[in-house]
Amino acid sequence: MNARNGLILLLLISLGFVFQGCDKDDCVAEVTYVQYIPVWMTPEDVRQPVEVEAPRPLGNTGKIYYYQNYILVNEIREGIHVIDNSNPASPSNLGFIKILGNVDMAVKGNILYADNFMDLLAIDFTDPMNAILVKRVEEVFPLNGNDGEGNWLVYYDQKLITEDMDCNRQNVLWNGGFWLDNGVFATAEANAQTGGANAPAGVGGSMARFTLYDNYLYAVDQSNLRVFSVADIACPNLVSTVNAGWGIETIFPYGENLFLGSESGMFIFDNSDPANPTYLSVFRHATACDPVFVKDNYAYVTLRDGTFCQGFSNQLDLVDITSLTNPSLVETFPMHNPHGLSILDNSLFVCEGDEGLKAFDIADPLILDEKLTDHIKGFHAFDVIALPNGLLMIIGEDGLYQYDASNPDDLQEVSVIPVLRS
């Protein structure tokens, strides 16, 4: 693995101008931004054996998934923590499945599907501590490019920089929220996540880029929806690729439809023919990252700032989807910094970043802002899974939390596995 100098994508976080004179030539701006440094790997480095290691502490956590008393927690681009949750009051960290480049996962019939940078892996998960790779589908997810010498640009490392910058600096261009140095442009790497039919499947959170429906696995990247047949669960096969728009962030299946959250809106696809989803409509909103959760005739869409999506809104949009070809905004509710969300019966659970978790009564969704039933503070919440038995699983920067939501007016902590950052 090596990082090449010269290709740098700078994402603006905040910009404060400090004028040091009336002459335009003397203008200086203090700029705080994230420097994205490209990381290159050879195919051989990427395609290392899938290994099961001893349990390691949760560190740089990502997505969460639940399957038959196991909680799977992604360690971003490193692999998957396997946690035995047979006793939610005392979960046991069993081990770690090392998968380079992994961001998402889904499980169907004891087969774990996971991304390995540009490849899709099918892993026999019958015994999680002896997980075995059974198939690799090569180069089905997009990469950012190659250098012509056998190295692939697999992701961008991040470094926070604050510096004074000449307002007239000629080699830096402002382009809708990105600082592009020397004309370099990059796309985000593919992620992944949940669903099922025939064989039992697991449950994922609203931040999913993988989902399962019937005998198909769906995976979205920035612009495409890829459909894999998993009729033979150990042998996923790419059957179609559908253009899904731009800036796609998440995917959520509901009924015979797929709801895709993007940086600019919610896309709806008819999935009555699961091998060939077809576009129905789009609900547009201000630019922001937005996971989606659907119940009955409403879609709940969260928008937040402070991300590479360049958004400046923190809100929950309630969208009427009675007409799937003409979704319409019903109401917008202000939020602190909403992330993932989930619904159990008439309770909506919203992750509010460093403001923890909020619970709302949505028996009447139009007045949910008046029906805040509980607000758990003191931890960071990124995504949540609500199980039918009333158990909530919440992942965030601080750890994996479980709460008893059988009484949504009084959420009770069940257990915590903390994150230990180096």
Side-chain angles (χ1 to χ4, degrees), residues 349 357-359 373-376 390 392 394 403-413:
F349 303 97
L357 182 80
K358 290 179 179 176
T373 58
D374 205 352
H375 185 185
I376 308 298
L392 298 183
I394 306 154
Y403 276 82
D404 180 357
S406 55
N407 179 4
D409 295 334
D410 185 21
L411 304 179
Q412 294 294 314
E413 183 179 295

Side-chain angles (χ1 to χ4, degrees), residues 144-271:
N144 296 302
N146 64 75
D147 63 359
E149 299 178 1
N151 299 299
W152 286 327
L153 176 53
V154 291
Y155 71 96
Y156 287 87
D157 209 355
Q158 302 178 24
K159 183 178 181 181
L160 189 65
I161 303 291
T162 298
E163 65 178 4
D164 291 336
M165 184 181 295
D166 184 347
C167 295
N168 300 311
R169 181 175 167 185
Q170 295 301 311
N171 66 329
V172 177
L173 303 176
W174 172 249
N175 181 21
F178 288 90
W179 289 101
L180 304 183
D181 194 0
N182 298 324
V184 175
F185 180 76
T187 58
E189 67 267 22
N191 293 352
Q193 178 162 8
T194 168
N198 297 338
V203 180
S206 63
M207 294 293 190
R209 284 190 186 241
F210 279 7
T211 196
L212 287 158
Y213 175 79
D214 194 42
N215 286 318
Y216 294 89
L217 169 71
Y218 302 92
V220 294
D221 59 46
Q222 283 280 299
S223 58
N224 292 303
L225 167 61
R226 288 175 171 78
V227 183
F228 298 86
S229 171
V230 290
D232 179 349
I233 59 173
C235 191
N237 178 45
L238 181 65
V239 295
S240 64
T241 300
V242 180
N243 183 275
W246 183 84
I248 304 301
E249 295 294 323
T250 61
I251 182 170
F252 183 86
Y254 188 78
E256 291 188 340
N257 300 287
L258 299 173
F259 295 81
L260 279 57
S262 81
E263 295 175 20
S264 60
M266 176 185 67
F267 293 83
I268 304 175
F269 281 76
D270 179 354
N271 201 39

Side-chain angles (χ1 to χ4, degrees), residues 239-316:
V239 295
S240 64
T241 300
V242 180
N243 183 275
W246 183 84
I248 304 301
E249 295 294 323
T250 61
I251 182 170
F252 183 86
Y254 188 78
E256 291 188 340
N257 300 287
L258 299 173
F259 295 81
L260 279 57
S262 81
E263 295 175 20
S264 60
M266 176 185 67
F267 293 83
I268 304 175
F269 281 76
D270 179 354
N271 201 39
S272 54
D273 177 2
N276 297 285
T278 56
Y279 171 84
L280 287 177
S281 63
V282 60
F283 165 73
R284 298 283 183 186
H285 57 59
T287 302
C289 292
D290 71 328
V292 178
F293 208 97
V294 178
K295 183 179 187 293
D296 300 330
N297 292 324
Y298 293 102
Y300 300 79
V301 183
T302 60
L303 289 75
R304 70 186 188 279
D305 63 11
T307 71
F308 68 86
C309 299
Q310 314 163 48
F312 298 94
S313 299
N314 287 290
Q315 64 195 54
L316 172 69

